[in-house]
Amino acid sequence: MKILDKLIIKDFLKTYFFVVLMLILIVLVLDFTEKNDAFIRNNVPAKYILVYLGNYGLYLNNLLTPITVFISVIFITSKMAGRTEIVAILSSGTSFVRMLFPFFIAASMIGAASFLLNGWVLPGATASVTEFKSRWLEDNKFYTQQNIHVKVAPDLYAYISRYYTSGNTGYNFTLEQIREGKLLAKLSADRIVWDTAINSWSAKNWRMRVLRDDGEEYTVGESLDTLLSITPNDFDLPTNHHETLKLPDLSRQIDVLEDRGADNVNYYKIEKYVRYMSPFAAVILTFIGVIVSSKKTRGGSGFQIALGFLLAFIYIIMFLLSRTFAEAGATYPILAVWTPNIVFAITGLFLYKTVPR
């Protein structure tokens, strides 16, 4: 089977790269056509457009991996079944599991490449795409964040009702010192502004309450400089910031956000879960793809390919829904993220009972 293994792996990878290239080119042409007017209107240099399309192509490759793997497997397997090659392989005494071996090798290679792309290459491409859109395609370069909770020290907690990146200004600011569940002091201000001259925050129209065993001290003022461990850079982040970090940086950012008690730490955790989960999809979908297309049909491989598209889209929809549920605050986000792989793995094991022996 060694010669056959090499042929299957070669055909699998060749078909995979061809399908990936065709789908990416189609999507890039559609995307370019849609944004061409904006490119012309904003006088975007050609070199920036080419870099954007290249980085966007990397993003599409990762997004379309379930479809491309599934279609490649079904195309190769149904073609083998149509030429009665699978019957000949099984009749020679080779088990179905042994026949799956070269498919799993190729799928594992794709999965490993996907993990490297997800962890170290794709984040840079995503950051470049985000920067390109912000610079050349978006009219509003500034945005607002609301209800920000930040842990700035072991016993200090800051809250900002609204933060505007355009002026580095936050409104309805509070800074509370809490130790062992007891409020010791609270600083409130109508707004907090970043002072570029001294690189620190200045609280405007502030009120300070200090609670002691013998009573309460209350002071007010117009302006007060504060030393906080956060800067405007901590607020001036794109909404998909978690997607622009390499895997080691993502782990460090999770530690920082957990130490601060930030509300958005779940988005970074879920992104990390997804990056470890995605590579396994190639192996699972390969397993199902071989099973559903290993039988010879009179109508040719058209039905199997159509079925492959359908199942691949179902997987993608399930993945998007499960990620949405996880980000919405699911009790076990890691389980929600892994749900598509678990469901399809169980489905594959069930379908395995129907394969020809």
Side-chain angles (χ1 to χ4, degrees):
M1 283 278 294
K2 290 184 178 180
I3 296 177
L4 184 59
D5 290 341
K6 292 180 181 179
L7 289 175
I8 291 176
I9 293 174
K10 179 181 178 181
D11 286 346
F12 188 174
L13 295 178
K14 183 172 63 177
T15 304
Y16 167 77
F17 286 117
F18 177 77
V19 174
V20 166
L21 182 61
M22 289 299 101
L23 288 179
I24 288 178
L25 288 177
I26 291 172
V27 176
L28 288 181
V29 168
L30 294 176
D31 183 72
F32 177 81
T33 303
E34 179 185 357
K35 295 182 173 64
N36 188 42
D37 290 340
F39 294 154
I40 296 174
R41 183 172 59 254
N42 296 322
N43 295 319
V44 183
K47 64 178 181 179
Y48 289 115
I49 297 177
L50 292 176
V51 171
Y52 160 73
L53 292 176
N55 289 323
Y56 190 46
L58 289 174
Y59 170 79
L60 291 173
N61 173 61
N62 179 70
L63 180 65
L64 297 175
T65 292
I67 295 179
T68 52
V69 168
F70 217 33
I71 298 307
S72 302
V73 171
I74 288 181
F75 181 81
I76 294 298
T77 311
S78 61
K79 187 168 65 173
M80 292 175 61
R83 295 196 296 253
T84 326
E85 293 177 2
I86 293 181
V87 175
I89 293 173
L90 297 178
S91 299
S92 67
T94 302
S95 66
F96 190 83
V97 174
R98 175 62 183 85
M99 190 190 73
L100 284 171
F101 181 73
F103 289 98
F104 281 157
I105 292 295
S108 298
M109 294 171 64
I110 294 173
S114 176
F115 179 72
L116 293 175
L117 284 174
N118 274 334
W120 286 268
V121 179
L122 187 60
T126 303
S128 179
V129 170
T130 301
E131 181 182 359
F132 177 87
K133 290 182 178 180
S134 176
R135 179 179 179 183
W136 299 105
L137 301 180
E138 295 178 1
D139 295 329
N140 183 15
K141 302 293 191 295
F142 307 107
Y143 56 93
T144 304
Q145 295 188 51
Q146 296 182 348
N147 299 324
I148 301 171
H149 298 266
V150 180
K151 183 179 179 182
V152 297
D155 58 355
L156 285 178
Y157 301 86
Y159 168 77
I160 300 175
S161 175
R162 299 185 314 280
Y163 181 81
Y164 294 88
T165 61
S166 56
N168 294 330
T169 303
Y171 291 87
N172 297 329
F173 169 77
T174 61
L175 182 65
E176 298 178 334
Q177 183 180 18
I178 300 175
R179 187 175 300 160
E180 297 179 354
K182 183 179 180 180
L183 178 64
L184 302 180
K186 180 176 181 179
L187 171 66
S188 303
D190 291 345
R191 69 184 190 279
I192 185 171
V193 182
W194 179 256
D195 190 338
T196 56
I198 58 177
N199 289 329
S200 69
W201 296 97
S202 179
K204 306 299 182 181
N205 298 327
W206 58 271
R207 287 86 57 193
M208 171 72 80
R209 293 176 58 202
V210 179
L211 304 177
R212 297 189 177 92
D213 294 335
D214 58 349
E216 175 182 328
E217 179 183 341
Y218 185 78
T219 55
V220 297
E222 293 184 359
S223 181
L224 176 67
D225 294 335
T226 61
L227 297 176
L228 301 178
S229 61
I230 53 177
T231 68
N233 292 331
D234 294 314
F235 299 111
D236 192 15
L237 298 174
T239 54
N240 65 336
H241 180 241
H242 52 284
E243 298 177 2
T244 65
L245 297 176
K246 296 180 180 179
L247 196 55
D249 298 330
L250 182 62
S251 298
R252 285 191 290 268
Q253 183 70 7
I254 290 173
D255 293 336
V256 171
L257 293 176
E258 285 184 332
D259 185 60
R260 290 179 177 177
D263 294 337
N264 62 341
V265 65
N266 276 341
Y267 289 95
Y268 293 82
K269 288 183 176 180
I270 292 168
E271 176 67 21
K272 186 176 181 179
Y273 299 152
V274 168
R275 294 189 188 184
Y276 281 102
M277 177 275 295
S278 296
F280 291 94
V283 177
I284 294 173
L285 292 177
T286 295
F287 179 56
I288 296 178
V290 175
I291 292 174
V292 299
S293 58
S294 57
K295 294 182 180 180
K296 183 177 181 179
T297 58
R298 294 183 179 180
S301 60
F303 174 76
Q304 284 95 336
I305 294 176
L307 180 62
F309 269 107
L310 176 62
L311 292 177
F313 276 115
I314 290 175
Y315 178 87
I316 291 178
I317 292 174
M318 185 178 294
F319 165 73
L320 294 176
L321 289 176
S322 64
R323 180 164 185 166
T324 300
F325 288 143
E327 293 176 346
T331 306
Y332 301 101
I334 188 171
L335 179 60
V337 169
W338 275 85
T339 295
N341 279 1
I342 295 174
V343 171
F344 270 69
I346 295 174
T347 302
L349 293 175
F350 176 79
L351 293 174
Y352 176 70
K353 298 179 179 180
T354 66
V355 300
R357 297 289 193 259

